[in-house]
């Protein structure tokens, strides 16, 4: 866990605080904030592209979780036995077929089946064949799309409808929904944890999870994977943090929020590791094999290994329903943030009165476009393209975006200006630790990670044994590739347990700026265009929210010109 926590302290939390404070001070989305330096607006477009790619395939993963959730509404899970029409002769289940009627498992496995499970390289589990041959109907090549899987297409439509309905009123509606999507998974995790630690072999799985591999501590890939885990776990460089923070009150203590959310998020990742590996340890004990033989990664963990482990539990359909319902909730929580990032960026960029009043139609248009672009991913070759997008569309690009963002804010906009902005907003400057990290440590770490990523050998992707980052369970450790000291995050259809930033349920107000650049000296006294509330103009109409404060110096100058009431920096009643 050492590389993980080093990256969290010196890279994750500082970048998280930077994005929250950046969006909160500007009250703009990931495009509008770059009015501080228009030449870096491409960083905002990069965030939009990343969110678009992830949003397209993210909902495909959610739709698969929906499919498994609906399939669990039965007396016997369909991936529990090998007596189904899609099973092959290589299928070897961990349950004896004689227990089909009562759903219980045998106390001991038959000797021939145990030998097959432990020594045969041809063994495929019923959950794996259900995943490959029935759910996906996997084609033999990435170019052979085959047919669109209609059950998955229907579930994809359900996913996008749910996302749209939850965002139909913007943050007013999604802000209420996330209270449930962010808290209920903890209930399910606790239920699964209590059940998991009471099973035979759970301690073996937990020790496998906690035991570090010190011989890999100096490997560059280990540190690169730890940094990637932090980026995805905290959602840095996606644009979502900037967007959601832009709805905060101007004086909201985002410093406190960033520290609490970051630590809570990573603690949840470690907690989820206990839940996962207690069940996998039980499965390994049941099969008589090492935990490394049953510990999978990527979609294989969410849709093959863990569902197979659930079949060993009494009342397995109940545990399966809880597990996949938790995945759906976590995935929807992240999808809300991704879609809101795109919608807010479009609305802020156009900025006219019509689009501000018709934001619901923009949300509907983005949802329909996401559904249409996700249809190819529901084909028989869709999983190939999903993993391709997961590995290359939103991996190295996050490193580049974060590095450029740090350089642009600290050295182009100016670190003194930014520190003064934060002091104006919070009442105190950022702590010295964050100042050092923003200026030197974090950019250096990100740059070194970029160099390491560029020089590491890029192995071709192979579905089933590929070294991909996890699509579904927030990048749980890749055993054999990522060391055991890199803790997993909670099992959700997104790599990261997306932090839920508290938002206001009122329209954001933009700070007014003059039509043309003016010197930083005090301007001539004149009434504020919105009200006497000061240059922040929290009570301005929605149609006037199209400007960004140029700098704290100008805002202070305007406040002194507007009168003592303006310097209160409080929203007008």
């Amino acid at each position: 866990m050492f590389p993980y926590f080093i990256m969290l302290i010196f890279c994750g939390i500082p970048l998280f605080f930077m994005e929250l404070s950046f969006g909160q001070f500007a009250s703009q989305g990931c495009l509008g904030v770059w009015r501080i330096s228009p030449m870096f607006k491409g960083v905002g477009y990069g965030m939009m592209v990343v969110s678009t790619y992830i949003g397209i395939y993210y909902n495909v993963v959610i739709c698969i979780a929906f499919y498994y959730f609906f399939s669990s509404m039965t007396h016997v899970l369909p991936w529990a036995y090998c007596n189904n029409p899609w099973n092959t002769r290589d299928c070897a289940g961990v349950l004896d077929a004689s227990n089909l009627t009562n759903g219980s498992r045998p106390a001991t496995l038959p000797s021939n089946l145990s030998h097959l499970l432990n020594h045969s390289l041809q063994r495929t589990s019923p959950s794996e064949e259900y995943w490959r041959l029935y759910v996906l109907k996997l084609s033999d090549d990435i170019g052979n799309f085959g047919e669109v899987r209609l059950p998955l297409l229907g579930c994809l439509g359900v996913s996008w409808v749910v996302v749209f309905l939850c965002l139909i009123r913007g943050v007013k509606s999604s802000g209420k929904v996330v209270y449930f999507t962010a808290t209920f998974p903890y209930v399910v995790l606790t239920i699964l944890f209590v059940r998991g630690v009471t099973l035979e072999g759970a301690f073996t799985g937990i020790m496998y999870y906690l035991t570090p591999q010190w011989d890999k501590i100096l490997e560059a890939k280990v540190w690169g994977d730890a940094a990637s885990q932090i980026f995805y776990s905290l959602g840095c460089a996606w644009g979502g943090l900037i967007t959601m923070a832009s709805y905060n009150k101007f004086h909201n203590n985002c410093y406190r929020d960033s520290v609490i959310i970051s630590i809570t998020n990573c603690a949840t990742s470690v907690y989820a590791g206990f839940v996962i590996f207690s069940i996998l340890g039980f499965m390994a004990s049941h099969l008589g094999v090492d935990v490394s033989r049953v510990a999978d990664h990527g979609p294989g963990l969410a849709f093959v290994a863990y569902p197979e482990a659930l079949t060993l539990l009494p009342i397995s359909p109940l545990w399966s329903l809880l597990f996949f319902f938790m995945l759906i909730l976590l995935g929807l929580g992240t999808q809300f943030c991704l879609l809101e990032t795109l919608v807010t960026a479009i609305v802020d960029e156009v900025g006219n009165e019509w689009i501000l009043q018709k934001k619901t139609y923009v949300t509907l248009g983005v949802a329909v476009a996401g559904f249409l672009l996700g249809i190819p991913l529901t084909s028989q070759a869709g999983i190939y393209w999903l993993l391709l997008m997961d590995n290359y569309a939103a991996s190295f690009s996050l490193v580049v975006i974060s590095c450029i963002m740090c350089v642009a804010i600290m050295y182009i906009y100016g670190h003194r200006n930014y520190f003064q902005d934060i002091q104006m907003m919070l009442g105190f400057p950022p702590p010295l630790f964050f100042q050092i990290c923003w200026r030197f440590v974090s950019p250096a770490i990100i740059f070194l990670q970029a160099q390491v990523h560029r020089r590491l050998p890029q192995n071709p992707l192979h579905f089933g044994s590929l070294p991909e980052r996890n699509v579904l369970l927030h990048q749980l450790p890749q055993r054999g590739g990522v060391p055991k000291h890199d803790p997993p995050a909670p099992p959700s259809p997104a790599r990261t347990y997306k932090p839920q930033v508290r938002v206001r349920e009122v329209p954001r107000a933009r700070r007014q700026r003059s039509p043309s650049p003016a010197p930083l000296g005090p301007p001539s006294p004149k009434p504020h265009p919105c009200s006497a509330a000061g240059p922040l103009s929290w009570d301005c109409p929605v149609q006037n929210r199209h400007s960004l404060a140029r700098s704290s110096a100008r805002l202070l100058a305007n406040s002194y010109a507007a009168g003592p009431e303006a310097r209160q920096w409080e929203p007008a009643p």
Side-chain angles (χ1 to χ4, degrees), residues 104-117:
S104 62
R105 65 181 178 89
T108 59
L109 292 173
S111 59
N112 57 342
L113 180 57
S114 177
H115 176 79
L116 177 65
L117 294 177

Side-chain angles (χ1 to χ4, degrees), residues 211-220 222-223 480 483-485:
T211 303
Q213 296 178 350
W214 295 110
D215 56 317
K216 295 186 177 182
I217 193 68
L218 298 179
E219 293 184 8
V222 170
W223 293 87
K484 302 169 189 174
H485 51 252

Side-chain angles (χ1 to χ4, degrees), residues 68-69 72 77 79 310 316-325:
Y68 270 77
F69 177 78
S72 301
L77 293 176
W79 57 84
L310 293 177
S316 56
L318 173 62
W319 305 110
S320 181
L321 285 171
L322 288 175
F323 175 71
F324 288 109
F325 185 59

